[in-house]
Amino acid sequence: MGQDSPEADSSDSADESTERVRTTKRTFLQGTGATLGAGMVPVGASSAFERSNVASPSNAVAEAADGMVSSVHPQATEAGVEVLENGGNAIDTAVAVQFALNVVQPHSSGIGGGGFTLVYSAAEDEITAIDNRERAPLGAQPDMFLDNQGEEVPFFDRHTNGKAVGVPGTLKAADVAVKRFGRTPLDELLQPAIELAAPGGRTVTVDEFLAGSIADNVDDGALTPTAREVFAPGGDPLEAGDELVQSDLADTLRTIRDDGIGSFYKGEIAEDIAETVQGAARSRKTGGSMTVDDLGRYNVAITRPTYETYDGDAHEITVRTMRSPTSGGYVIAQILALLESFDLAQYDRRSFDVYHRLIEAFQLAFADRNEYLGDEEFVDIPWQGLLDDEYVDARRRIIDPETATSATREPGDPFAHQPGGQYYTSPRDIEQAKHDGNASGARNGKGNEPRTNSAVAHPGQTTHFTTADAEGNVVSWTSTIEQLFGSGIMVPGRGFMLNNELTDFDATPGGPNEVQPEKRPLSSTSPTIVTRDGDPFLTVGSPGGWSIIHTVSQILLNVAEFGMDIDDAIAEPRVYSATGTWVDAENGVPDDAVDELNAAGHDVSTVDSIGNAQSILVKEDGGYVGVADHRRNGSAGSPS
Ligand code: GLU
């Protein structure tokens, strides 16, 4: 346990969970949210910490030798554990968890969305990334989120519109992952989800998180009538403790089970998706363009994850996470590089000195993120420059140890440290280069207006889950439909929500993250596998829009720099800051540190929670510790 870390340990958390949850179906599921009975809500479920000096709340923690599942929902974890018990490996298990999550948390992820998947294959001793980010349809245009006056369409109208729907990737990723790394047929992995969705199957009880999300979205027109009928049948919003039945979703999963994923990407479901995106959009006054051809063209990308080492006071780690089109890998790598030489362990973990340096590093990294990053299939991103030692040293020197400065919010010039010439960053740059007589289209990052990204005010909510098996295979998967309930559009008769991921593009064209046909919007998603001495050490990831990056970075620092165990590292209060003077600090960040931060020029607001991490740590003896964040009542489990 690191200095000043919370007092809770895993045995305490198990005891507390017994008190908080009066019924449990399976004893191996440990956690504050494990199996809620009707009307039962765990104490302290949504509010994270009291002010400092109060014992931290408990994460769900499980330990086992033969395998592990950590997800945000006990029935999804249970579906995964069943796969392990039936001889499936970690990849099969992750796929079953994803399908189950589609049913028990239909507002967070599913076959209508996309995500990023990291697989460590023990046989190959290699980490592979399966990028299942949604793509813009061929008919998408850079100005499609502008109105007739050239102004950005208000966010609510953008995100509930068919134009926001990207071509989904989750189902394709499931299929590819199992074919490449798994050993259980997809139809078997769909079975728990079918039973969870079907009437008369496994009972799913609406939990506090889903009930709150329904209440927040049901009355403002965010949900289409089909979705309203599922989540507010007869006009009555489902509440915590009510049963959730999704007959259409069960039928869709059966169709995929019986006819294969072709039914989704080019068959009858594809036709319904295309018709819905165009038709639902028409009813919302403008048209989405997605066609069956767009769905048929979709494929995942298999890539190698980013690589960054961090030599901490407690552990030297190698961090492997996703490359573009998520910003997560590069931004986390840059944050760690900026912070490494501060030797943060010399300070109290909850001191001004640590929080201030974190905040300033976040701001430096986000200034570059929002200026330079986009889908690397479409734009030349200076990722080597961003991580170049000289560049990082120069950026670190901008940080004033005592005072918040606006200088940390200005982008630097990583292209000056990037090997080779820049070829282009966007159509606007090509035009500018032609105008300047520069045939290569090169431009210098300096002198451009810092870009804002409209996603900041609208952090969506996704889900992270992670699995491991007895052979040492490990999966770390972050999956999303962007906002809660995605676009709010449910495919009639099919029972699943469509994402609104294309709102992660900049609404105003001209930058590296502008909309282009078949392009993937910039993400912050950061499923991560950390190795130590070449072997898997831990997995981690989180929902939370931009703040995913802050959540993952702080957990990594808590382990590698401050020597916390993974339970404490996840429980530790977090801070979040990116583009202005604003800083969000979780309850639990001490009052005196908040006062010092405000005095130094930061503008700190206290918030209940930032992120929701799930993690698996590999112990030295090869056994696993699974942790699910208390912030959303997750669940960790293993074979009995
Ligand atoms: N759309 C977000 C992203 O890709 C993920 C959703 C969330 O905010 O959790 O960054």
Side-chain angles (χ1 to χ4, degrees), residues 133 459-462 480 482 501 504 522-525 543-546 548:
R133 185 68 162 171
Q461 292 297 346
T462 174
T480 182
E482 218 301 275
E501 217 71 52
D504 277 351
L522 188 64
S523 173
S524 298
T525 308
W546 284 8
I548 293 169

Side-chain angles (χ1 to χ4, degrees), residues 372-445:
Y372 297 111
L373 297 188
D375 180 347
E376 64 191 354
E377 279 183 10
F378 286 71
V379 294
D380 184 15
I381 61 174
W383 66 272
Q384 289 146 298
L386 288 171
L387 302 176
D388 176 81
D389 286 346
E390 267 184 36
Y391 179 68
V392 170
D393 287 346
R395 296 289 280 167
R396 186 189 307 104
R397 284 196 292 272
I398 295 172
I399 296 175
D400 181 311
E402 304 296 336
T403 310
T405 72
S406 58
T408 57
R409 294 171 222 135
E410 299 293 327
D413 184 11
F415 276 111
H417 298 262
Q418 178 81 354
Q422 183 186 6
Y423 54 93
Y424 70 91
T425 61
S426 77
R428 183 190 69 173
D429 297 321
I430 295 170
E431 288 310 309
Q432 185 65 42
K434 279 185 198 153
H435 179 264
D436 296 345
N438 179 346
S440 74
R443 81 181 168 122
N444 185 321

Side-chain angles (χ1 to χ4, degrees), residues 161-492:
N161 189 294
K163 287 179 181 173
V165 183
V167 183
T170 297
L171 183 59
K172 190 78 176 178
D175 187 55
V176 168
V178 168
K179 282 186 177 132
R180 174 79 172 73
F181 298 106
R183 56 172 173 247
T184 308
L186 206 65
D187 52 359
E188 284 180 36
L189 302 175
L190 282 157
Q191 200 54 35
I194 293 169
E195 291 169 19
L196 287 162
R202 305 180 192 198
T203 303
V204 176
T205 305
V206 174
D207 65 14
E208 195 184 18
F209 175 43
L210 177 55
S213 307
I214 293 170
D216 285 348
N217 285 280
V218 80
D219 284 331
D220 62 1
L223 301 180
T224 55
T226 313
R228 273 180 69 92
E229 204 39 46
V230 172
F231 300 115
D236 291 332
L238 293 175
E239 295 177 355
D242 288 346
E243 192 177 343
L244 177 65
V245 178
Q246 298 171 88
S247 308
D248 287 347
L249 180 57
D251 286 343
T252 297
L253 297 175
R254 285 191 193 103
T255 300
I256 295 167
R257 178 193 65 191
D258 297 340
D259 300 346
I261 71 161
S263 58
F264 186 94
Y265 283 103
K266 54 190 179 190
E268 52 177 290
I269 303 173
E271 286 168 17
D272 287 354
I273 294 171
E275 189 183 329
T276 302
V277 169
Q278 295 169 32
R282 263 201 302 282
S283 74
R284 288 173 173 186
K285 297 197 174 54
T286 52
S289 65
M290 193 183 299
T291 63
V292 174
D293 187 39
D294 286 313
L295 286 145
R297 294 168 68 88
Y298 185 86
N299 207 348
V300 297
I302 306 291
T303 64
R304 290 286 169 227
T306 57
Y307 181 102
E308 177 70 14
T309 58
Y310 180 88
D311 189 4
D313 197 58
H315 304 283
E316 182 170 356
I317 57 172
T318 300
V319 180
R320 310 290 305 274
T321 182
M322 293 295 312
R323 51 191 302 137
S324 160
T326 177
S327 60
Y330 301 128
V331 179
I332 289 171
Q334 200 190 37
I335 288 168
L336 294 177
L338 286 164
L339 292 171
E340 189 174 27
S341 66
F342 283 133
D343 295 325
L344 292 177
Q346 68 181 298
Y347 305 111
D348 183 313
R349 173 62 183 87
R350 297 189 187 175
S351 65
F352 165 85
D353 295 294
V354 171
Y355 293 128
H356 173 68
R357 284 164 178 77
L358 287 177
I359 291 163
E360 297 295 285
F362 295 154
Q363 297 195 348
L364 284 166
F366 268 80
D368 281 349
R369 175 205 189 270
N370 292 344
E371 182 65 19
Y372 297 111
L373 297 188
D375 180 347
E376 64 191 354
E377 279 183 10
F378 286 71
V379 294
D380 184 15
I381 61 174
W383 66 272
Q384 289 146 298
L386 288 171
L387 302 176
D388 176 81
D389 286 346
E390 267 184 36
Y391 179 68
V392 170
D393 287 346
R395 296 289 280 167
R396 186 189 307 104
R397 284 196 292 272
I398 295 172
I399 296 175
D400 181 311
E402 304 296 336
T403 310
T405 72
S406 58
T408 57
R409 294 171 222 135
E410 299 293 327
D413 184 11
F415 276 111
H417 298 262
Q418 178 81 354
Q422 183 186 6
Y423 54 93
Y424 70 91
T425 61
S426 77
R428 183 190 69 173
D429 297 321
I430 295 170
E431 288 310 309
Q432 185 65 42
K434 279 185 198 153
H435 179 264
D436 296 345
N438 179 346
S440 74
R443 81 181 168 122
N444 185 321
K446 279 184 180 163
N448 291 294
E449 287 294 307
R451 236 181 288 284
T452 56
N453 181 315
S454 44
V456 65
H458 313 286
Q461 292 297 346
T462 174
T463 194
H464 181 78
F465 51 96
T466 175
T467 61
D469 64 27
E471 293 145 54
N473 301 302
V474 173
V475 176
S476 184
W477 188 334
T478 309
S479 183
T480 182
I481 52 174
E482 218 301 275
Q483 294 285 293
L484 291 173
F485 295 104
S487 60
I489 302 170
M490 179 177 277
V491 183

